[in-house]
């Protein structure tokens, strides 16, 4: 996975909106299936403990990945023979085409058992120990539940989807509510993966409306990205930014959804607003990423937040990472 230099986030401000809850008799109370401590590396990615057919390891939580990935080495150790998949063409973050799947007989995140799960097989993290890096948890699993990422407490919580709207924000009296389009079947391309014609398993990406330097943008909250990024085409059309714009500097290279490797550049935008959330002096990567969202919000910014993904509602509830916590003595 490509590593780039990080820049510093100068400021973060909140203008919170109230959370609206339905009447108690019309819906079920919030039910937490599991609360799972997570680890992070220098990329700020979230790694969760998993059990894959009896093998204990860790997987990266990736809200921007369409489907979950399993390392070839793990599949081989479990004796799972990959089979060709003709419905999807995927590329991992190393730019490798992946078109084979395996069916894991039992998959657990923490103690929560998802039962039988289909994974695409990838060479991702091929050099890492199998008990440290086993793959990626993507949207095909995440959208079956509701998900809370508590960055201050370093935990991920998994909830039943049948509860009152807004009840996921149990830690604070108010939160920013972000709504997103749930008609994903109209899209054929999604971030770092390409979808072909699929009638079942259509998954709606959590893409919300935001405002970057005063201009409206479509924004994806992606725990699989370290850095916030924007496509060159949108940077040019919306902001007039080119490689010759003052402040634009070469960064490195990155693999994109087509498997190609592209050059990236750094630029600092003065402001990013997501409803009542405001970031100042946001370092952004520019590149020909060819994604369905104009902007991908990475963990450099998301680590400042506490987030509840209510996938069934098509809503994301957000507060500051430390909202609702007792002040330190």
């Amino acid at each position: 996975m490509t590593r780039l230099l990080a820049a510093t986030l100068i400021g973060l401000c909140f203008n919170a909106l109230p959370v609206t809850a339905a009447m108690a008799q019309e819906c079920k109370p919030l039910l937490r299936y599991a609360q799972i401590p997570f680890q992070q590396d220098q990329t700020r990615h979230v790694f969760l403990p998993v059990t894959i057919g009896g093998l204990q390891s860790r997987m990266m939580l990736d809200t921007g990945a369409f489907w979950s990935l399993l390392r070839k080495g793990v599949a081989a150790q479990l004796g799972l023979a990959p089979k060709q998949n003709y419905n999807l063409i995927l590329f991992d973050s190393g730019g490798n085409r992946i078109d084979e799947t395996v069916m894991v007989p039992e998959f657990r995140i923490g103690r929560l058992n998802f039962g039988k799960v289909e994974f695409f097989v990838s060479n991702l993290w091929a050099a890492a120990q199998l008990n440290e890096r086993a793959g990626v948890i993507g949207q095909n699993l995440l959208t079956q539940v509701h998900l809370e990422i508590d960055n201050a407490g370093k935990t991920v919580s998994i909830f039943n989807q049948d509860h009152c709207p807004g009840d996921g924000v149990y830690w604070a009296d108010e939160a920013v509510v972000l709504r997103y389009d749930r008609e994903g079947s109209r899209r054929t391309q999604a971030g770092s993966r390409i979808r072909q014609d699929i009638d079942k398993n259509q998954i709606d990406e959590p893409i919300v409306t935001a405002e970057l330097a005063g201009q409206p943008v479509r924004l994806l909250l992606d725990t699989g990205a370290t850095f916030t990024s924007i496509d060159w085409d949108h940077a040019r059309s919306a902001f007039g930014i080119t490689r010759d714009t003052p402040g634009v500097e070469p960064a490195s290279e990155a693999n994109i959804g087509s498997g190609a490797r592209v050059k990236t550049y750094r630029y600092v935008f003065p402001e990013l607003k997501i409803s009542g959330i405001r970031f100042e002096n946001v370092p952004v990567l520019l590149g020909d990423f060819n994604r369905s969202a104009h902007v991908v919000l990475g963990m450099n910014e998301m680590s400042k937040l506490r987030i509840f993904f209510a996938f069934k509602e098509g809503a994301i509830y957000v507060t500051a990472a430390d909202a609702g916590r007792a002040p330190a003595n």
Side-chain angles (χ1 to χ4, degrees), residues 9 12 45 62-64 178 206-208 210-212 217-230 272-274 277-279 282-284 291 293-305 307 309 316 318:
L9 175 66
L12 170 65
H45 291 149
D62 191 348
T63 58
L178 309 174
I207 296 177
V208 300
E211 187 176 291
L212 182 64
V217 294
R218 287 166 44 83
L219 180 141
L220 171 68
L221 284 81
D222 187 357
T223 59
T226 302
F227 304 96
T228 294
S229 57
I230 184 172
L272 171 63
K273 291 196 294 186
I274 312 169
I277 306 165
R278 180 172 174 264
F279 296 95
V282 182
V284 171
R291 294 173 302 213
H294 300 139
V295 176
V296 168
L297 190 72
M299 285 301 294
N300 273 357
E301 281 64 53
M302 289 178 66
S303 63
K304 311 294 183 184
L305 310 174
I307 308 169
F309 290 89
I316 305 170
V318 184

Side-chain angles (χ1 to χ4, degrees), residues 100-160:
E100 294 181 324
T101 62
V102 294
M103 188 66 71
V104 173
E106 184 180 85
F107 177 71
R108 297 174 183 265
I109 302 177
R111 296 182 179 180
L112 179 61
N113 190 352
F114 280 80
K116 185 184 295 185
V117 173
E118 183 183 31
F119 286 87
F120 273 82
V121 181
S122 167
N123 277 322
L124 191 67
W125 293 308
Q129 296 293 320
L130 293 183
N131 62 352
E132 286 295 327
R133 298 288 185 269
V136 170
I137 302 167
Q139 294 172 11
N140 66 304
L141 284 175
L142 299 177
T143 53
Q144 297 179 30
V145 295
H146 283 175
L147 179 75
E148 176 204 343
I149 303 175
D150 179 359
N151 281 296
K154 301 297 182 186
T155 64
V156 163
S157 290
I158 299 174
F159 294 88
N160 186 297

Side-chain angles (χ1 to χ4, degrees), residues 45-59:
H45 291 149
V46 172
F47 289 90
L48 295 173
V50 298
T51 305
I52 313 150
L55 173 68
Q56 293 186 345
S57 186
R58 299 184 187 280
M59 280 188 167

Side-chain angles (χ1 to χ4, degrees), residues 157-222:
S157 290
I158 299 174
F159 294 88
N160 186 297
Q161 290 188 330
D162 295 326
H163 59 80
C164 298
D167 272 6
V169 189
Y170 58 88
W171 64 87
D173 293 330
E174 55 186 12
V176 169
V177 185
L178 309 174
R179 305 286 178 182
Y180 63 91
D181 184 5
R182 299 201 62 208
E183 298 180 30
S185 58
R186 296 183 302 174
R187 297 189 294 273
T188 57
Q189 181 166 313
S192 62
R193 70 293 307 163
I194 298 175
R195 265 185 284 182
Q196 298 197 346
D197 293 335
I198 304 176
D199 293 327
K200 63 178 181 178
N201 296 325
Q202 286 289 355
I203 297 171
D204 302 296
E205 289 190 286
I207 296 177
V208 300
T209 300
E211 187 176 291
L212 182 64
Q215 297 294 324
V217 294
R218 287 166 44 83
L219 180 141
L220 171 68
L221 284 81
D222 187 357

Side-chain angles (χ1 to χ4, degrees), residues 61-81:
L61 179 71
D62 191 348
T63 58
F66 176 63
W67 208 270
S68 301
L69 305 180
L70 184 71
R71 282 178 55 186
K72 286 187 176 181
V74 175
Q77 181 161 320
L78 296 175
L80 302 174

Side-chain angles (χ1 to χ4, degrees), residues 251-269:
S252 184
E253 293 185 345
N255 296 300
I256 62 173
S258 66
R261 193 165 178 81
V262 300
K263 292 183 178 179
T264 63
Y265 295 78
R266 287 190 298 269
Y267 184 76
V268 177
F269 280 86

